[in-house]
Structures are given as structure tokens and as C-alpha cells.
Amino acid sequence: MDRILSSLLGPDFQIIEEGLGGRTTVFDDPLEPHRSGREFLPVALHSHRPLDLVILSLGTNDCKKFFNADEKIITKALQQLASLIKTHPYGERYPIPQVLVVSPIHIGDEIEQSPFVSFNSNSVLTSKSLAPFIQSMAEENELLYFDASSVAFPSSIDQLHMDRQSHQAIGEGLASLILSCFNVQKEEPQEKKEERTVTRAIKFPFFKR
């Protein structure tokens, strides 16, 4: 994803990826330890400063059945991480970065037939109900927001991860939002201009598809 986003944004932007499979917002996973985002986030913020924007893309692993977390709990956990970003002691003259919260894609309906034993049918329902709660939280806290499930889907192979097409779709959506956020106009190739027949408005600071 970072390579897709980097290529779309261009050389004026530096993307730092800190992704980790199985990472949660605040929970300690008994089967995959040391995955809590809350524990790692302060280290990442301090080691990579200065930062202009931090993208929080978490929530899928919070839907695991042994956490018993509903959409309200997961949203509250994301809000806690966003607050941590805003209040972190970066140091004198270091900027406070903006925060972009990404509501995750839905978990596939056939997840119980996949190798991922920590998810069940309730995990699917929770993932499908997250977006409006996370969007409302983002708006109330003046955070940027993007709904990944509006453009991307889980792979039919494992019901949890995305294929190349979905990664590309999310990268394009995030790139449009980030360019708008920083008031950057990116010139389209001529062939793309000729192909484009529909224009979608982007309203800062919230990106809605």
C-alpha cells in the first residue's frame, strides 16, 4: 500500500509505513502477542517526527471473537489513539500532525471457512457496522476520514485481506484526500482526462465516496 500511495502522491511526499499483521487498537491478543497499537504508537510517533499527517488504519483485528468488542468500543479505541497522536510530547517546535482515520473493509461472509480461527460470524457483522460510528467520531474530533469499505473488498481467497485491485482503490482514495488536505493540485495525464466522464467533488476535511 505504501508503494501505491507513494507513486500516486509523487516525490514531494514521504510515506512511512508502520503496518503489522494482526495489530489491534488497544487489545492484547493471546494468540498474537505484542500487537497493541496503543503500546507501539508513542514509539513510532517519536522516532519518525516531524510528521505532517498520521494515518490510523485499524479495527479489523479488534473484531476477533475473544475481544467481544462492538462498534462503539472499537470506535472509542480509535478515538483514544487519535487523542494520543494529538497530545504526544513531540518536543519544542515540532508540529502536531493531522490525523486521518480509515474505517476498515468488511470481513468476508465466509470467514469461518478460512484459516483465521479468531473470527466468526459476529466479527463480520461488527466490521460491517463500523463505518458510520467511526465517521461520526472523526467529524466530532475534526479528524480526516476515509471509508475503505466504500471502494475495497476482502479477497475471496481468505475473506480477510485485500487483492491488488482493492489496494489500488484505497491508495487512489487516500491520495485524493491527502492532496486535497495539503492543497496540492496534481496534473492528470492527458489520456486520463479524455477517459474521465464523471467528476466527484472532494470536500475538505472529510472525504466521502
Side-chain angles (χ1 to χ4, degrees), residues 95-144:
I96 305 298
Q98 297 189 64
V99 180
L100 195 171
V101 180
V102 180
S103 182
I105 65 169
H106 299 160
I107 296 171
D109 292 332
E110 304 299 320
I111 191 67
E112 291 184 325
Q113 279 69 58
S114 78
F116 304 108
V117 298
S118 300
F119 298 93
N120 61 9
S121 58
N122 287 332
S123 304
V124 177
L125 295 176
T126 300
S127 74
K128 291 181 177 180
S129 64
L130 281 174
F133 287 87
I134 296 176
Q135 180 175 5
S136 178
M137 181 275 292
E139 292 176 350
E140 290 173 3
N141 291 273
E142 299 183 341
L143 310 175
L144 300 170

Side-chain angles (χ1 to χ4, degrees), residues 55-120:
I55 302 174
L56 287 176
S57 183
L58 295 169
T60 296
N61 292 299
D62 289 20
C63 297
K64 291 179 177 179
K65 56 188 176 184
F66 40 66
F67 295 141
N68 198 30
D70 62 15
E71 58 273 6
K72 293 182 180 179
I73 292 173
I74 296 171
T75 300
K76 188 67 177 179
L78 281 168
Q79 182 181 1
Q80 185 178 95
L81 297 184
S83 177
L84 193 158
I85 294 168
K86 290 294 188 181
T87 59
H88 180 78
Y90 295 95
E92 186 178 357
R93 297 185 180 179
Y94 280 93
I96 305 298
Q98 297 189 64
V99 180
L100 195 171
V101 180
V102 180
S103 182
I105 65 169
H106 299 160
I107 296 171
D109 292 332
E110 304 299 320
I111 191 67
E112 291 184 325
Q113 279 69 58
S114 78
F116 304 108
V117 298
S118 300
F119 298 93
N120 61 9

Side-chain angles (χ1 to χ4, degrees), residues 120-189:
N120 61 9
S121 58
N122 287 332
S123 304
V124 177
L125 295 176
T126 300
S127 74
K128 291 181 177 180
S129 64
L130 281 174
F133 287 87
I134 296 176
Q135 180 175 5
S136 178
M137 181 275 292
E139 292 176 350
E140 290 173 3
N141 291 273
E142 299 183 341
L143 310 175
L144 300 170
Y145 171 76
F146 180 76
D147 179 8
S149 68
S150 67
V151 298
F153 310 91
S155 167
S156 59
I157 297 175
D158 69 9
Q159 302 291 307
L160 191 66
H161 299 100
M162 294 180 290
D163 59 18
R164 181 179 298 180
Q165 184 178 0
S166 285
H167 275 288
Q168 182 69 32
I170 291 179
E172 291 174 358
L174 290 176
S176 294
L177 175 54
I178 293 169
L179 291 171
S180 176
C181 171
F182 292 102
N183 295 316
V184 176
Q185 299 296 324
K186 196 169 183 65
E187 185 68 20
E188 284 186 291

Side-chain angles (χ1 to χ4, degrees), residues 5-19:
L5 193 54
S6 292
S7 65
L8 291 168
L9 292 174
D12 292 336
F13 290 82
Q14 180 186 6
I15 305 299
I16 303 169
E17 184 183 15
E18 282 288 1

Side-chain angles (χ1 to χ4, degrees), residues 10-57:
D12 292 336
F13 290 82
Q14 180 186 6
I15 305 299
I16 303 169
E17 184 183 15
E18 282 288 1
L20 177 65
R23 178 169 284 155
T24 66
T25 52
V26 300
F27 301 106
D28 292 316
D29 189 331
L31 298 181
E32 295 185 276
H34 312 299
R35 296 296 201 278
S36 170
R38 180 172 56 191
E39 296 302 315
F40 177 71
L41 184 56
V43 177
L45 295 175
H46 218 71
S47 63
H48 295 307
R49 61 186 181 151
L51 296 164
D52 297 304
L53 174 71
V54 176
I55 302 174
L56 287 176
S57 183

